[in-house]
Amino acid sequence: MEFTKLLEERRSIRAFDPEKHVTAEQIQEIVQAAIQAPSWKNSQTGRYYCVMSEEMVEKVSRECLPEMNQAKAENASLIVTTFVHNHAGFQKDGTPDNELGNGWGCYDLGLQNENLILKAKELGYGTLIMGLRAGDKLREILSIPETETVMAVIAIGKAAEEPARPKRKDVEDIVRFY
């Protein structure tokens, strides 16, 4: 798919087809695209916990997502994204490189997640990034180490809807030239 078209057609999907599921091989291909993103000092701190079985998807959804997101994640696989904290944006002795500290881990993971959702779209899948989640419960259920910061849950599956494109700001509204 041509890049500009990919950007313009990608949407947040809130209804997934119960008859079509993403495979583990496709998730691997999608995560492979995610890890191509740049990261602070090539630290590559993003991590992905892929919830594929119906039983685990239902458990994670019920116990870790607010009710409003449970319905939106129905019939999807779930990818929990994390990053290793105190690494990106830090010196080897543990001191932060600048005032953002672990903000660089968030930034790097955001870059990776953008690649992830775009690759999913290219492969014919829809995604929904959900920031409202019970991080401690996800950590418990998925055995996520304390050294990682839980960021988001991404629902991924075949879209059962075609949402309209939301209005975007004009370039002139957000850019300054000096």
Side-chain angles (χ1 to χ4, degrees):
M1 181 179 282
E2 191 253 324
F3 187 67
T4 301
K5 184 176 179 181
L6 181 67
L7 291 175
E8 290 174 352
E9 290 184 3
R10 192 224 52 87
R11 299 282 179 278
S12 293
I13 301 299
R14 291 169 178 84
F16 295 93
D17 187 335
E19 301 300 317
K20 298 179 183 162
H21 299 282
V22 63
T23 67
E25 292 78 20
Q26 290 164 323
I27 294 283
Q28 288 176 324
E29 185 177 354
I30 290 166
V31 172
Q32 181 61 42
I35 64 176
Q36 300 308 310
S39 62
W40 183 277
K41 296 181 184 176
N42 197 33
S43 56
Q44 302 180 54
T45 63
R47 301 292 183 266
Y48 296 91
Y49 296 83
C50 303
V51 182
M52 307 276 303
S53 75
E54 285 185 43
E55 298 79 24
M56 281 297 289
V57 167
E58 194 276 325
K59 178 181 177 72
V60 168
S61 182
R62 181 183 70 249
E63 295 184 25
C64 303
L65 297 177
E67 191 174 328
M68 66 178 226
N69 282 342
Q70 290 174 20
K72 295 172 187 172
E74 193 173 344
N75 303 313
S77 293
L78 303 175
I79 302 174
V80 177
T81 67
T82 74
F83 70 89
V84 178
H85 51 257
N86 299 332
H87 191 70
F90 290 82
Q91 295 292 319
K92 290 183 187 214
D93 68 2
T95 58
D97 286 314
N98 65 26
E99 75 281 2
L100 295 181
N102 276 312
W104 285 108
C106 294
Y107 183 85
D108 290 352
L109 186 60
L111 292 170
Q112 284 187 261
N113 288 347
E114 177 72 5
N115 281 10
L116 185 147
I117 65 172
L118 290 174
K119 184 64 177 182
K121 175 63 180 170
E122 181 185 60
L123 294 176
Y125 292 100
T127 56
L128 176 64
I129 299 174
M130 298 174 283
L132 299 176
R133 75 294 175 278
D136 289 338
K137 193 66 176 173
L138 285 165
R139 183 180 307 287
E140 176 188 323
I141 292 172
L142 302 177
S143 301
I144 298 171
E146 290 292 330
T147 55
E148 295 176 27
T149 300
V150 177
M151 290 300 297
V153 177
I154 302 175
I156 180 170
K158 198 67 165 172
E161 65 174 1
E162 291 186 38
R165 183 171 194 230
K167 175 151 177 36
R168 296 291 184 205
K169 292 182 179 183
D170 293 324
V171 172
E172 296 79 21
D173 295 332
I174 64 167
V175 70
R176 291 184 187 180
F177 291 97
Y178 297 92

